Amino acid sequence: MEIKANNIPDVLLLQPEVYRDERGFFLETYREEHLKAQGLDINFVQDNLSQSERGTVRGLHYQIEQQQDKLIMVMQGTILDVAVDLRRDSDTFGEYTTVELSSKTKKQLFIPKGFAHGFSVLSEDALVYYKCSDYYFPEGERGLFWNDPELNIDWQVDDPIVSEKDQRQPLFKEIAKKDLF
């Protein structure tokens, strides 16, 4: 597995080895020792699967309590994955990174604790699978307004489909210090 740092060094792009033949393909979606070799000792405890239609924007979400590292991959379709650094002591605080993930490339994205996460669906639909290092905890869930003009994220979709909850999230400059990392 090839692992590369992104424009935000703690967000990692993983490219698993894909073995193809006339039957199809095989790949390891997760191997603990690959992340340990990068200095990441993570115990994933929850797996999630999300299905969304073209133009959907999900996010930006994070948990201030029971914080989660995430390992994201796309089982079907193509998404634009987004991670926003909310770690106050980080050199990249308030910056974001975007990565196109697809079922064709099989690339994965590792997002550590301290980031808000979201994605937009660029294909007809998408199945997004991700591992989390802690359990979903509704009381600790927080969000960031997906279309914050200060962040100016290009979600690469026309007429985005966004939940009411995501439409009501605060702007980056409105997030209380206690809700940052």
Side-chain angles (χ1 to χ4, degrees):
M1 179 173 289
E2 183 180 348
I3 301 178
K4 295 180 180 177
N6 207 318
N7 63 306
I8 297 178
D10 296 331
V11 177
L12 303 174
L13 188 62
L14 290 73
Q15 179 64 65
E17 281 194 54
V18 181
Y19 303 94
R20 298 178 188 276
D21 64 21
E22 65 277 356
R23 300 169 296 168
F25 70 88
F26 170 85
L27 67 97
E28 291 179 345
T29 60
Y30 172 72
R31 190 168 178 144
E32 181 181 45
E33 67 185 346
H34 291 186
L35 291 180
K36 280 190 175 184
Q38 296 292 315
L40 303 170
D41 190 10
I42 298 168
N43 180 34
F44 288 111
V45 298
Q46 179 178 320
D47 290 2
N48 300 320
L49 181 65
S50 167
Q51 187 276 330
S52 304
E53 304 299 320
R54 180 189 300 277
T56 296
V57 172
R58 290 187 183 264
L60 296 154
H61 306 140
Y62 64 101
Q63 289 188 185
I64 197 68
E65 297 173 57
Q66 293 185 213
Q67 300 170 18
Q68 298 175 319
D69 299 295
K70 293 180 180 176
L71 182 61
I72 299 111
M73 77 176 292
V74 174
M75 309 289 282
Q76 174 184 309
T78 304
I79 67 168
L80 182 71
D81 209 74
V82 179
V84 181
D85 192 347
L86 299 179
R87 303 168 302 169
R88 286 182 285 182
D89 294 334
S90 168
D91 290 340
T92 55
F93 175 69
E95 295 180 26
Y96 69 90
T97 187
T98 61
V99 175
E100 188 174 293
L101 299 176
S102 76
S103 54
K104 289 181 184 175
T105 67
K106 316 284 188 257
K107 290 180 181 176
Q108 302 173 348
L109 192 65
F110 172 77
I111 302 173
K113 296 171 182 148
F115 284 77
H117 172 247
F119 64 86
S120 60
V121 179
L122 306 179
S123 55
E124 208 51 44
D125 64 352
L127 282 176
V128 179
Y129 172 81
Y130 56 103
K131 302 179 90 50
C132 299
S133 65
D134 209 336
Y135 299 105
Y136 173 66
F137 184 63
E139 294 83 2
E141 184 179 29
R142 300 293 185 274
L144 172 61
F145 184 56
W146 70 278
N147 202 21
D148 188 323
E150 185 176 333
L151 297 175
N152 196 29
I153 298 169
D154 178 4
W155 293 92
Q156 300 180 18
V157 295
D158 299 322
D159 267 340
I161 304 165
V162 182
S163 73
E164 285 185 38
K165 177 177 118 178
D166 289 347
Q167 292 283 13
R168 293 189 311 264
Q169 298 296 344
L171 297 170
F172 178 75
K173 65 184 177 188
E174 297 171 338
I175 297 176
K177 285 193 191 289
K178 67 179 179 58
D179 289 337
L180 294 169
F181 301 93

